[in-house]
Amino acid sequence: MMKTMTISKPKKQKKTMAERSNTLRAGVLGSNDGILTVVGVLFSVAVATTNQFTIFIAGLSDLLACAFSMASGEYASVSSQKDTERAAIESERELLKTNYQDELDVVADYYIERGVTQNTADKIAKELMTKDALGTIVRVKYDLELGHYMSPWDAAFSSLVSAASGGIFPLVAMTFLPVSIQWPGTILAVTLSVALTGYLSAKLGDGLVKTAVIRNIIVGIITMAIHYSVGLML
């Protein structure tokens, strides 16, 4: 008696929460990097020269370099992840053709580990595999949804825009505030902006908000101190 088995093909669907979170994650990290790299260059140059145009051009150049660097890095990283996910799905597609029973047992074991009895787990596994074998096995083994891959273009664009946006805070503060308050103004702008990225990263990653905010502020202060020192040596 032949088994009825359906191997589904990926369909274009709405983005999952994981896909949206990945894009937001790239944005938050890009913004944080934009803030710290730009303020680092600004502090180094501003200590070495008082020429506002030179400071602005240095900061703007670094802002653009950081934005495109972050974007290309995210594109390469997410593309690699996407290729790995696709390869895993193709591997499971072949296993369903050559070793269906073992795949069925994997699904049953998945439910047994969650407290379902052997008999009930077998019934659930058979029903799910009959309805959507490939979709079931990749969800159980890899926690993936067919047709839902992290988008390298979305991650790259999010990182590009956020890194540029983050870098604007220290750039505007250092080059457009009155000279008398440009240093404290820039320090305040950086402190507030890295505190915000720390808060957002903790929320997206279900981490400790207070810890993330404090950590980001400390890193920001250390970054400014190091580059200020570098500027003194120029």
Side-chain angles (χ1 to χ4, degrees), residues 22-41:
N22 185 67
T23 301
L24 289 172
R25 175 201 58 81
V28 170
L29 293 178
S31 180
N32 200 62
D33 277 9
I35 294 164
L36 295 179
T37 56
V38 172
V39 77
V41 169

Side-chain angles (χ1 to χ4, degrees), residues 209-231:
V209 172
K210 184 178 179 180
T211 301
V213 170
I214 293 174
R215 180 174 58 236
N216 260 26
I217 290 174
I218 291 173
V219 170
I221 292 172
I222 292 173
T223 299
M224 290 185 280
I226 289 173
H227 286 86
Y228 182 86
S229 301
V230 170

Side-chain angles (χ1 to χ4, degrees), residues 63-208:
L63 183 151
L64 294 174
C66 175
F68 283 102
S69 175
M70 287 293 296
S72 62
E74 280 292 335
Y75 180 83
S77 175
V78 177
S79 292
S80 178
Q81 178 182 345
K82 184 177 181 179
D83 292 342
T84 300
E85 290 174 353
R86 282 180 165 172
I89 289 173
E90 289 307 311
S91 175
E92 293 304 323
R93 195 189 302 274
E94 290 302 313
L95 285 173
L96 285 169
K97 295 176 182 178
T98 60
N99 208 350
Y100 181 83
Q101 185 58 49
D102 282 352
E103 297 287 84
L104 184 64
D105 291 341
V106 167
V107 178
D109 290 341
Y110 173 83
Y111 286 99
I112 291 172
E113 289 173 2
R114 281 152 182 77
V116 178
T117 63
Q118 178 73 59
N119 186 48
T120 303
D122 288 340
K123 290 180 180 179
I124 293 173
K126 288 178 182 177
E127 184 175 344
L128 290 175
M129 292 289 277
T130 299
K131 183 179 179 181
D132 181 7
L134 183 58
T136 298
I137 197 66
V138 298
R139 186 167 56 251
V140 166
K141 276 190 175 182
Y142 307 104
D143 195 25
L144 294 175
E145 293 292 334
L146 288 182
H148 291 287
Y149 302 101
M150 301 303 178
S151 170
W153 287 109
D154 285 352
F157 182 74
S158 175
S159 190
L160 174 71
V161 172
S162 60
S165 301
I168 286 175
F169 289 101
L171 181 62
V172 169
M174 180 61 78
T175 57
F176 289 97
L177 286 176
V179 175
S180 60
I181 62 169
Q182 68 176 188
W183 284 97
T186 303
I187 293 171
L188 178 60
V190 170
T191 301
L192 292 176
S193 53
V194 295
L196 177 60
T197 57
Y199 172 82
L200 293 175
S201 64
K203 284 295 185 181
L204 289 174
D206 293 325
L208 298 175

